[in-house]
């Protein structure tokens, strides 16, 4: 009986004769590996965290109490116009009541309200934030009114707010603020 390995050798020789001379292919470079993560600026992150903490402490030092009046005007706004606002002599066109809202919700509502008012050409709005005398959500652990301080801080940092003052007693007193918005510029 014939050895099956002899048949395999014959087949191999026939195959090599059929294909002719062989040349070796160059080595292919390996595919790129997974990219390394970007380096983190840990010192910068630490500095940012420290700066935020310092900013919070500065804010705590300037927090308003329940009876404090909010007041702000940009340089281009005359003191006379602020006085008219303080007296309630400027007609309020829209109103937002933040009673019962937590801080995050109040911030979102306020941003959306001011954006919408500006888009519709509203010049004066009233924001009711409450005095912070009732409810755990409206008063911080320090006893300061949370929503009142949030509204004050947000309004001071918005480019579209040119002046604001706590409302006269008949319109909510120190639990509400009247806000003058910059006129919308047409592009």
């Amino acid at each position: 009986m014939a050895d099956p390995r002899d048949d395999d050798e014959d087949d191999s020789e026939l195959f090599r004769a059929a294909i002719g001379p062989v040349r070796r292919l160059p080595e292919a470079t390996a595919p790129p590996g997974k990219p390394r993560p970007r380096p983190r600026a840990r010192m910068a992150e630490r500095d940012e965290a420290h700066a935020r903490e310092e900013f919070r402490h500065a804010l705590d030092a300037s927090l308003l109490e329940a009876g404090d009046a909010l007041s702000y005007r940009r340089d281009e706004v005359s003191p006379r116009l602020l006085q008219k606002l303080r007296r309630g002599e400027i007609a309020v066109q829209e109103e937002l009541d933040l009673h019962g809202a937590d801080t995050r919700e109040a911030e979102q509502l306020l941003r959306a309200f001011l954006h919408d008012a500006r888009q519709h050409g509203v010049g004066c709005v009233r924001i009711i934030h409450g005095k912070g005398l009732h409810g755990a959500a409206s008063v911080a652990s320090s006893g300061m009114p949370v929503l009142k301080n949030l509204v004050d801080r947000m309004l001071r940092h918005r480019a579209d707010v040119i002046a604001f003052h706590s409302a006269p007693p008949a319109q909510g007193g120190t639990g509400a603020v009247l806000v003058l918005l910059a006129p919308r510029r047409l592009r």
Side-chain angles (χ1 to χ4, degrees):
M1 185 158 158
D3 188 10
R5 282 183 277 179
D6 289 337
D7 289 338
D8 288 341
E9 286 179 24
D10 288 339
D11 288 342
S12 295
E13 285 179 34
L14 282 172
F15 176 74
R16 278 192 213 101
I19 63 166
V22 179
R23 75 178 157 86
R24 188 168 194 85
L25 291 176
E27 292 281 333
T29 57
K34 185 177 177 183
R36 290 180 168 224
R38 300 183 92 185
R40 286 180 37 207
R42 287 191 176 100
M43 287 299 288
E45 289 173 2
R46 217 174 294 143
D47 289 346
E48 284 291 322
H50 181 69
R52 278 192 300 274
E53 193 61 33
E54 288 295 320
F55 183 69
R56 282 191 196 110
H57 288 305
L59 285 177
D60 288 345
S62 63
L63 288 177
L64 298 163
E65 294 187 20
D68 293 344
L70 303 179
S71 184
Y72 169 83
R73 77 173 172 87
R74 292 191 181 234
D75 292 337
E76 65 265 18
V77 176
S78 70
R80 186 177 193 110
L81 185 59
L82 183 67
Q83 187 175 37
K84 288 178 89 174
L85 185 66
R86 180 177 57 84
R87 291 180 184 157
E89 295 174 0
I90 299 175
V92 173
Q93 295 166 286
E94 293 291 332
E95 180 176 277
L96 172 67
D97 190 347
L98 296 175
H99 278 110
D102 66 6
T103 307
R104 180 170 285 141
E105 182 184 5
E107 185 174 348
Q108 291 172 348
L109 287 170
L110 184 56
R111 284 182 199 281
F113 174 72
L114 291 174
H115 176 75
D116 188 52
R118 181 88 190 276
Q119 291 300 319
H120 289 90
V122 174
C124 184
V125 297
R126 179 177 28 243
I127 300 166
I128 302 169
H129 48 72
K131 296 182 182 182
L133 299 176
H134 308 290
S138 63
V139 179
S141 60
S142 62
M144 301 296 176
V146 174
L147 294 179
K148 182 175 190 169
N149 283 290
L150 171 76
V151 168
D152 180 56
R153 188 170 58 247
M154 284 183 66
L155 292 178
R156 287 178 188 275
H157 291 97
R158 289 194 56 105
D160 54 354
V161 173
I162 58 172
F164 62 85
H165 199 285
S166 287
Q171 294 184 28
T174 58
V177 63
L178 303 178
V179 182
L180 280 180
L181 298 173
R184 184 171 170 219
R185 291 195 176 112
L186 299 175
R187 293 180 189 218

